[in-house]
Amino acid sequence: DAGVIQSPRHEVTEMGQEVTLRCKPISGHDYLFWYRQTMMRGLELLIYFNNNVPIDDSGMPEDRFSAKMPNASFSTLKIQPSEPRDSAVYFCASSLGLVGTQYFGPGTRLLVL
Amino acid sequence: GNSVTQMEGPVTLSEEAFLTINCTYTATGYPSLFWYVQYPGEGLQLLLKATKADDKGSNKGFEATYRKETTSFHLEKGSVQVSDSAVYFCALGSSNTGKLIFGQGTTLQVKP
C-alpha cells in the first residue's frame, strides 16, 4: 500500500525562480496538509484541504506561496518568486477524517540560493 | 492557544538504557496526543497516540500515557537500541480543527 508520495525529493534553485512541489496523498484520504520544517521554527502547518477544498491557509507565510488541489490524488505547493529564507523541508500529509491519523510523505528538501 | 513543550535535546544514551522524553501541553477542549518519529532523511512516522485521558499508547516498546491532571504525555522505553536514534516529536491534535501542533522535537542518540 503506497504511502504519501512527494516530488521532487530535493530541489535546488536560485532566488527569484518559481518552485513547484508535488504531493499524492494516500488513496481514500479526504484531508491533505502541507507543512514546512526549519531549524528555527520547527514544524509549521501551512495549509490544509478537505475534499480538494482549501479549509485553512492561515499558515501560508505570504502571497508568494500558493497551493492547489485540482483532484483527490494530487496537490501542489508553489513558491513564486522564491527567496533564500524559503529554504526548508516541505512535508505533505494526508488523513482520513479531520482528526484521523496524519500520514507524512518523505518531504521535499528545498534550497534557494 | 494550544501549545506543546518538549524537553530539549540532544539526549544521548547507551544501548539498553531507559528512555524518558518529557512532553507537556496546553490545550482547550479534549485534544488527542501523538508521538511521531523522524529518522534521518525521512518523513515523520506515527509512533503512538492516545485520544483521551488515561489512555496509554504503545508501539515498538515505546509507551506514553495521556495525563490530564499534569497535562503531560511523556514518552518512555525500557531498553533503547541504536536503531532508535532519531528525532521524536510530541504533537497535539485539536478536537475542533484536527490541526496538529508539534513540539520542537528531541534528538535521541543511542550509542552501542
PDB file of all heavy atoms in Angstrom, chain A residues 34-48:
ATOM      1  N   TRP A  34      -0.126  20.561   4.172  1.00  0.00           N
ATOM      2  CA  TRP A  34       1.235  20.956   3.802  1.00  0.00           C
ATOM      3  C   TRP A  34       1.914  21.571   5.026  1.00  0.00           C
ATOM      4  O   TRP A  34       1.362  22.477   5.660  1.00  0.00           O
ATOM      5  CB  TRP A  34       1.241  21.974   2.672  1.00  0.00           C
ATOM      6  CG  TRP A  34       1.020  21.399   1.305  1.00  0.00           C
ATOM      7  CD1 TRP A  34      -0.131  21.405   0.577  1.00  0.00           C
ATOM      8  CD2 TRP A  34       2.002  20.771   0.473  1.00  0.00           C
ATOM      9  NE1 TRP A  34       0.062  20.796  -0.654  1.00  0.00           N
ATOM     10  CE2 TRP A  34       1.370  20.409  -0.737  1.00  0.00           C
ATOM     11  CE3 TRP A  34       3.356  20.461   0.631  1.00  0.00           C
ATOM     12  CZ2 TRP A  34       2.038  19.762  -1.785  1.00  0.00           C
ATOM     13  CZ3 TRP A  34       4.027  19.823  -0.395  1.00  0.00           C
ATOM     14  CH2 TRP A  34       3.375  19.479  -1.590  1.00  0.00           C
ATOM     15  N   TYR A  35       3.119  21.070   5.345  1.00  0.00           N
ATOM     16  CA  TYR A  35       3.912  21.566   6.466  1.00  0.00           C
ATOM     17  C   TYR A  35       5.276  22.032   5.953  1.00  0.00           C
ATOM     18  O   TYR A  35       5.782  21.565   4.935  1.00  0.00           O
ATOM     19  CB  TYR A  35       4.167  20.460   7.495  1.00  0.00           C
ATOM     20  CG  TYR A  35       2.979  19.994   8.281  1.00  0.00           C
ATOM     21  CD1 TYR A  35       2.152  18.975   7.799  1.00  0.00           C
ATOM     22  CD2 TYR A  35       2.676  20.554   9.522  1.00  0.00           C
ATOM     23  CE1 TYR A  35       1.065  18.533   8.537  1.00  0.00           C
ATOM     24  CE2 TYR A  35       1.600  20.115  10.261  1.00  0.00           C
ATOM     25  CZ  TYR A  35       0.792  19.101   9.767  1.00  0.00           C
ATOM     26  OH  TYR A  35      -0.275  18.653  10.504  1.00  0.00           O
ATOM     27  N   ARG A  36       5.869  22.913   6.744  1.00  0.00           N
ATOM     28  CA  ARG A  36       7.249  23.340   6.486  1.00  0.00           C
ATOM     29  C   ARG A  36       8.061  23.091   7.755  1.00  0.00           C
ATOM     30  O   ARG A  36       7.599  23.390   8.864  1.00  0.00           O
ATOM     31  CB  ARG A  36       7.289  24.819   6.107  1.00  0.00           C
ATOM     32  CG  ARG A  36       8.678  25.366   5.857  1.00  0.00           C
ATOM     33  CD  ARG A  36       8.640  26.771   5.299  1.00  0.00           C
ATOM     34  NE  ARG A  36       8.130  27.747   6.251  1.00  0.00           N
ATOM     35  CZ  ARG A  36       8.084  29.050   6.010  1.00  0.00           C
ATOM     36  NH1 ARG A  36       8.513  29.528   4.848  1.00  0.00           N
ATOM     37  NH2 ARG A  36       7.611  29.883   6.916  1.00  0.00           N
ATOM     38  N   GLN A  37       9.267  22.564   7.578  1.00  0.00           N
ATOM     39  CA  GLN A  37      10.144  22.295   8.724  1.00  0.00           C
ATOM     40  C   GLN A  37      11.451  23.055   8.565  1.00  0.00           C
ATOM     41  O   GLN A  37      12.160  22.887   7.577  1.00  0.00           O
ATOM     42  CB  GLN A  37      10.427  20.792   8.847  1.00  0.00           C
ATOM     43  CG  GLN A  37      11.250  20.429  10.075  1.00  0.00           C
ATOM     44  CD  GLN A  37      11.515  18.930  10.163  1.00  0.00           C
ATOM     45  OE1 GLN A  37      11.739  18.260   9.160  1.00  0.00           O
ATOM     46  NE2 GLN A  37      11.480  18.404  11.385  1.00  0.00           N
ATOM     47  N   THR A  38      11.762  23.878   9.554  1.00  0.00           N
ATOM     48  CA  THR A  38      13.037  24.590   9.595  1.00  0.00           C
ATOM     49  C   THR A  38      13.627  24.444  10.987  1.00  0.00           C
ATOM     50  O   THR A  38      12.924  24.137  11.951  1.00  0.00           O
ATOM     51  CB  THR A  38      12.867  26.090   9.289  1.00  0.00           C
ATOM     52  OG1 THR A  38      12.018  26.665  10.295  1.00  0.00           O
ATOM     53  CG2 THR A  38      12.255  26.325   7.923  1.00  0.00           C
ATOM     54  N   MET A  39      14.922  24.673  11.077  1.00  0.00           N
ATOM     55  CA  MET A  39      15.577  24.584  12.383  1.00  0.00           C
ATOM     56  C   MET A  39      15.035  25.648  13.315  1.00  0.00           C
ATOM     57  O   MET A  39      14.843  25.413  14.505  1.00  0.00           O
ATOM     58  CB  MET A  39      17.084  24.750  12.212  1.00  0.00           C
ATOM     59  CG  MET A  39      17.758  23.574  11.537  1.00  0.00           C
ATOM     60  SD  MET A  39      17.702  22.103  12.558  1.00  0.00           S
ATOM     61  CE  MET A  39      18.794  22.584  13.879  1.00  0.00           C
ATOM     62  N   MET A  40      14.790  26.829  12.770  1.00  0.00           N
ATOM     63  CA  MET A  40      14.389  27.949  13.624  1.00  0.00           C
ATOM     64  C   MET A  40      12.949  27.822  14.124  1.00  0.00           C
ATOM     65  O   MET A  40      12.654  28.130  15.271  1.00  0.00           O
ATOM     66  CB  MET A  40      14.541  29.260  12.853  1.00  0.00           C
ATOM     67  CG  MET A  40      15.974  29.647  12.573  1.00  0.00           C
ATOM     68  SD  MET A  40      16.868  29.998  14.106  1.00  0.00           S
ATOM     69  CE  MET A  40      16.020  31.496  14.626  1.00  0.00           C
ATOM     70  N   ARG A  41      12.055  27.381  13.253  1.00  0.00           N
ATOM     71  CA  ARG A  41      10.634  27.426  13.575  1.00  0.00           C
ATOM     72  C   ARG A  41      10.002  26.061  13.766  1.00  0.00           C
ATOM     73  O   ARG A  41       8.811  25.971  14.086  1.00  0.00           O
ATOM     74  CB  ARG A  41       9.897  28.196  12.484  1.00  0.00           C
ATOM     75  CG  ARG A  41      10.379  29.635  12.320  1.00  0.00           C
ATOM     76  CD  ARG A  41       9.708  30.299  11.126  1.00  0.00           C
ATOM     77  NE  ARG A  41       8.296  30.497  11.359  1.00  0.00           N
ATOM     78  CZ  ARG A  41       7.782  31.594  11.912  1.00  0.00           C
ATOM     79  NH1 ARG A  41       8.565  32.567  12.293  1.00  0.00           N
ATOM     80  NH2 ARG A  41       6.471  31.682  12.087  1.00  0.00           N
ATOM     81  N   GLY A  42      10.785  24.997  13.563  1.00  0.00           N
ATOM     82  CA  GLY A  42      10.236  23.657  13.726  1.00  0.00           C
ATOM     83  C   GLY A  42       9.248  23.326  12.623  1.00  0.00           C
ATOM     84  O   GLY A  42       9.379  23.791  11.495  1.00  0.00           O
ATOM     85  N   LEU A  43       8.237  22.545  12.957  1.00  0.00           N
ATOM     86  CA  LEU A  43       7.215  22.125  12.002  1.00  0.00           C
ATOM     87  C   LEU A  43       6.026  23.070  12.056  1.00  0.00           C
ATOM     88  O   LEU A  43       5.421  23.246  13.111  1.00  0.00           O
ATOM     89  CB  LEU A  43       6.727  20.720  12.330  1.00  0.00           C
ATOM     90  CG  LEU A  43       7.442  19.573  11.660  1.00  0.00           C
ATOM     91  CD1 LEU A  43       7.170  18.292  12.403  1.00  0.00           C
ATOM     92  CD2 LEU A  43       7.010  19.443  10.209  1.00  0.00           C
ATOM     93  N   GLU A  44       5.692  23.638  10.916  1.00  0.00           N
ATOM     94  CA  GLU A  44       4.577  24.578  10.851  1.00  0.00           C
ATOM     95  C   GLU A  44       3.563  24.103   9.805  1.00  0.00           C
ATOM     96  O   GLU A  44       3.953  23.739   8.698  1.00  0.00           O
ATOM     97  CB  GLU A  44       5.055  25.961  10.403  1.00  0.00           C
ATOM     98  CG  GLU A  44       6.152  26.582  11.196  1.00  0.00           C
ATOM     99  CD  GLU A  44       6.618  27.857  10.512  1.00  0.00           C
ATOM    100  OE1 GLU A  44       7.440  27.757   9.569  1.00  0.00           O
ATOM    101  OE2 GLU A  44       6.160  28.938  10.895  1.00  0.00           O
ATOM    102  N   LEU A  45       2.296  24.165  10.162  1.00  0.00           N
ATOM    103  CA  LEU A  45       1.252  23.867   9.197  1.00  0.00           C
ATOM    104  C   LEU A  45       1.043  25.083   8.300  1.00  0.00           C
ATOM    105  O   LEU A  45       0.828  26.186   8.787  1.00  0.00           O
ATOM    106  CB  LEU A  45      -0.055  23.523   9.921  1.00  0.00           C
ATOM    107  CG  LEU A  45      -1.272  23.278   9.037  1.00  0.00           C
ATOM    108  CD1 LEU A  45      -1.072  22.030   8.189  1.00  0.00           C
ATOM    109  CD2 LEU A  45      -2.523  23.143   9.884  1.00  0.00           C
ATOM    110  N   LEU A  46       1.107  24.850   6.992  1.00  0.00           N
ATOM    111  CA  LEU A  46       0.925  25.953   6.045  1.00  0.00           C
ATOM    112  C   LEU A  46      -0.528  26.071   5.603  1.00  0.00           C
ATOM    113  O   LEU A  46      -1.104  27.161   5.620  1.00  0.00           O
ATOM    114  CB  LEU A  46       1.817  25.741   4.818  1.00  0.00           C
ATOM    115  CG  LEU A  46       3.313  25.648   5.082  1.00  0.00           C
ATOM    116  CD1 LEU A  46       4.065  25.384   3.787  1.00  0.00           C
ATOM    117  CD2 LEU A  46       3.824  26.924   5.732  1.00  0.00           C
ATOM    118  N   ILE A  47      -1.099  24.947   5.191  1.00  0.00           N
ATOM    119  CA  ILE A  47      -2.452  24.940   4.644  1.00  0.00           C
ATOM    120  C   ILE A  47      -2.987  23.528   4.693  1.00  0.00           C
ATOM    121  O   ILE A  47      -2.199  22.569   4.686  1.00  0.00           O
ATOM    122  CB  ILE A  47      -2.457  25.473   3.180  1.00  0.00           C
ATOM    123  CG1 ILE A  47      -3.874  25.587   2.618  1.00  0.00           C
ATOM    124  CG2 ILE A  47      -1.601  24.591   2.286  1.00  0.00           C
ATOM    125  CD1 ILE A  47      -3.938  26.302   1.263  1.00  0.00           C
ATOM    126  N   TYR A  48      -4.321  23.390   4.768  1.00  0.00           N
ATOM    127  CA  TYR A  48      -4.877  22.064   4.589  1.00  0.00           C
ATOM    128  C   TYR A  48      -6.170  22.093   3.796  1.00  0.00           C
ATOM    129  O   TYR A  48      -6.874  23.111   3.760  1.00  0.00           O
ATOM    130  CB  TYR A  48      -5.017  21.293   5.905  1.00  0.00           C
ATOM    131  CG  TYR A  48      -6.139  21.687   6.827  1.00  0.00           C
ATOM    132  CD1 TYR A  48      -7.368  21.043   6.789  1.00  0.00           C
ATOM    133  CD2 TYR A  48      -5.940  22.656   7.806  1.00  0.00           C
ATOM    134  CE1 TYR A  48      -8.379  21.359   7.683  1.00  0.00           C
ATOM    135  CE2 TYR A  48      -6.944  22.990   8.696  1.00  0.00           C
ATOM    136  CZ  TYR A  48      -8.160  22.342   8.628  1.00  0.00           C
ATOM    137  OH  TYR A  48      -9.159  22.661   9.530  1.00  0.00           O
TER     138      TYR A  48
END
